[in-house]
Amino acid sequence: MSDAVLVLNAGSSSLKYQLVEPDSGDRIATGIVERIGSDDASASHEQGGATHETHGAVADHKAALHTALDLFAEAGTDLRSTRLLAVGHRVVHGGRRFSQPVVLDDDAVAAIDELSSLAPLHNPVNLAGVRAMRDIFPEVPQVAVFDTAFFHDLPAHAATYAIDDEIAQRYDIRRYGFHGTSHEYVSGAAADFLDRPADQLNLIVLHLGNGASASAVRGGRAVDTTMGLTPLEGLVMGTRSGDLDPAIVAYLERVADMDVDAVDTMLNKEAGLKGLCGDNDFRTITARIDDGDERARLAYDVYIHRLRRYIGAYMVDLGRVDAIVFTAGVGENASNVRADALTGLEGFGIAVDPEANTVRSRQARRISPDDAAVAVLVVPTDEELAIARKSAELVRAG
Ligand code: ADP
């Protein structure tokens, strides 16, 4: 095996992992452990065309990693005796401090821990994965790759909230942005696809997954993005509200007897498409719309309206747009979303070719007519490969 990086994405009750060769981009294995912390956990591991599965109790993230290592062994790879180049961890919040990936020593772990107040749903579980790996593989360099890093240098006018400056400084309140690894990767892949230097391209990147965010990228650098202090701001998402009047939070506290944590949970987990129509998967929502379901229709319309609002904002931000890039689960698969997001914009040189839009593929592709001024692209994201490459680069640089 040539140099390999184990990429870990630890969520609250799940652990996703991939063993990646960063130079070739080859995937040696991929897997997920779900329902961590329950007696009913399950794990699935794909390697060499075969799937290995196991079910049972998995107490915590460390136990989940041992489950993954057992599945690797079952598939014929003893990771405990393999020389890994690095373990690359997806870490959601890098705060003001981290603009680049970092090798995780005690100091970096403590700094990420301190940022937990900004990302209570994410950083503690990301660190659970880090701590478990440091225990199991003390000699392998552990690297953190931050979701916020690509947006670290947002222009001040895009990063700053219009609130009391002293309070903002004291509590580190600014727009951080998230999904940065994906926005950066997809921007580079779009430049490759167009065969143009990234530093000469103005892009609008639409990362539409269960979580969703848009960014404006000028010459390879992010100049605006929809997510803010936390991943709650911006677009309508699967279960998150995105933008709303902040007075709603105080209003609910006053009239609905909901405390701040209850409102926070509602806006993160029971809002967005799920809140609007009870479903958050576009396949189900599209099927319901086809059946004439009005709640699903309204949810879809609200989603598209918000998306178009930001596309318009970023066209103005950038002045000249070379390409609009769709990525992630919805962006890569939902042709109706792509068509409806960009309908009626021919006057701006933006159009979607209906035939090209229906092509299904894992490859980057153009879905705008050849003669359109703005290229509309579908570019599959690959955060794991990006994390593997960044980790390898950092470790090799010594
Ligand atoms: P995340 O990484 O944020 O969990 P993904 O990028 O995997 O999410 O996107 C998941 C979402 O993609 C699903 O909730 C669903 O709405 C959408 N999706 C996946 N496949 C399809 C498809 N074939 N058609 C339409 N939507 C799809």
Side-chain angles (χ1 to χ4, degrees):
M1 182 163 75
S2 29
D3 277 348
V5 176
L6 182 64
V7 178
L8 287 193
N9 184 351
S12 56
S13 65
S14 72
L15 178 80
K16 293 186 207 154
Y17 60 88
Q18 293 197 5
L19 186 61
V20 182
E21 289 182 358
D23 302 318
S24 63
D26 285 350
R27 235 43 57 123
I28 302 162
T30 66
I32 180 166
V33 186
E34 292 176 286
R35 292 185 296 283
I36 296 171
S38 81
D39 292 340
D40 178 34
S42 67
S44 171
H45 176 100
E46 287 184 32
Q47 187 171 348
T51 303
H52 303 263
E53 291 181 346
T54 172
H55 299 269
V58 174
D60 53 22
H61 283 78
K62 189 163 182 183
L65 271 170
H66 282 290
T67 303
L69 295 182
D70 292 345
L71 289 173
F72 266 108
E74 198 182 304
T77 304
D78 181 2
L79 265 198
R80 291 178 177 93
S81 63
T82 304
R83 208 189 66 81
L84 289 172
L85 179 64
V87 179
H89 297 267
R90 175 183 183 215
V91 176
V92 167
H93 216 306
R96 288 189 200 273
R97 171 161 166 175
F98 295 107
S99 60
Q100 296 292 335
V102 64
V103 175
L104 286 157
D105 54 15
D106 291 343
D107 181 45
V109 169
I112 293 168
D113 208 6
E114 269 176 36
L115 291 166
S116 290
S117 57
L118 284 170
L121 301 178
H122 297 106
N123 275 28
V125 288
N126 298 156
L127 278 183
V130 171
R131 293 195 171 105
M133 278 319 268
R134 289 180 93 200
D135 283 351
I136 300 172
F137 294 105
E139 72 295 350
V140 180
Q142 312 279 324
V143 177
V145 177
F146 297 95
D147 251 32
T148 47
F150 187 52
F151 303 113
H152 188 266
D153 298 321
L154 277 184
H157 60 252
T160 305
Y161 287 109
I163 60 169
D164 183 300
D165 180 52
E166 204 257 323
I167 290 178
Q169 292 297 334
R170 191 183 325 151
Y171 296 107
D172 287 327
I173 299 173
R174 58 158 271 175
R175 309 190 62 253
Y176 290 97
F178 299 87
H179 292 146
T181 308
S182 175
H183 285 268
E184 184 181 17
Y185 174 86
V186 162
S187 299
D192 289 346
F193 177 84
L194 294 169
D195 200 16
R196 291 182 54 188
D199 62 3
Q200 289 172 21
L201 281 180
N202 288 355
L203 306 174
I204 297 175
V205 179
L206 306 170
H207 175 109
L208 310 177
N210 205 12
S213 60
S215 68
V217 180
R218 184 196 302 282
R221 295 172 65 116
V223 293
D224 209 348
T225 192
T226 53
M227 285 178 166
L229 178 79
T230 77
L232 183 56
E233 192 179 347
L235 301 175
V236 177
M237 308 178 216
T239 67
R240 294 187 206 127
S241 62
D243 297 338
L244 41 73
D245 182 341
I248 291 173
V249 179
Y251 179 72
L252 281 174
E253 266 198 277
R254 282 197 300 272
V255 304
D257 200 23
M258 291 173 80
D259 66 16
V260 133
D261 287 336
V263 178
D264 194 43
T265 302
M266 181 193 82
L267 295 178
N268 274 290
K269 304 214 157 124
E270 291 140 30
L273 294 167
K274 185 167 175 223
L276 283 165
C277 74
D279 275 310
N280 60 327
D281 192 309
F282 261 102
R283 287 163 285 202
T284 320
I285 292 171
T286 303
R288 282 175 57 184
I289 292 171
D290 291 345
D291 287 343
D293 184 318
E294 284 182 18
R295 277 178 78 211
R297 176 85 244 168
L298 178 63
Y300 182 86
D301 289 347
V302 174
Y303 182 97
I304 295 290
H305 177 70
R306 184 83 52 84
L307 185 56
R308 287 170 64 85
R309 179 188 287 176
Y310 277 107
I311 292 168
Y314 292 171
M315 285 162 63
V316 174
D317 252 355
L318 292 169
R320 186 199 82 230
V321 179
D322 298 298
I324 298 174
V325 190
F326 287 90
T327 194
V330 178
E332 291 167 32
N333 294 296
S335 55
N336 53 340
V337 170
R338 296 192 295 255
D340 292 334
L342 300 180
T343 190
L345 302 182
E346 292 79 4
F348 298 99
I350 299 169
V352 170
D353 178 274
E355 209 167 305
N357 191 29
T358 56
V359 172
R360 298 187 63 81
S361 148
R362 282 295 302 155
Q363 302 300 315
R365 55 200 186 274
R366 183 181 174 117
I367 60 168
S368 48
D370 287 342
D371 59 353
V374 178
V376 181
L377 308 180
V378 180
V379 177
T381 191
D382 195 340
E383 287 163 283
E384 289 77 15
L385 179 59
I387 291 171
R389 290 198 165 141
K390 283 173 181 287
S391 303
E393 194 183 340
L394 186 64
V395 168
R396 283 171 176 159

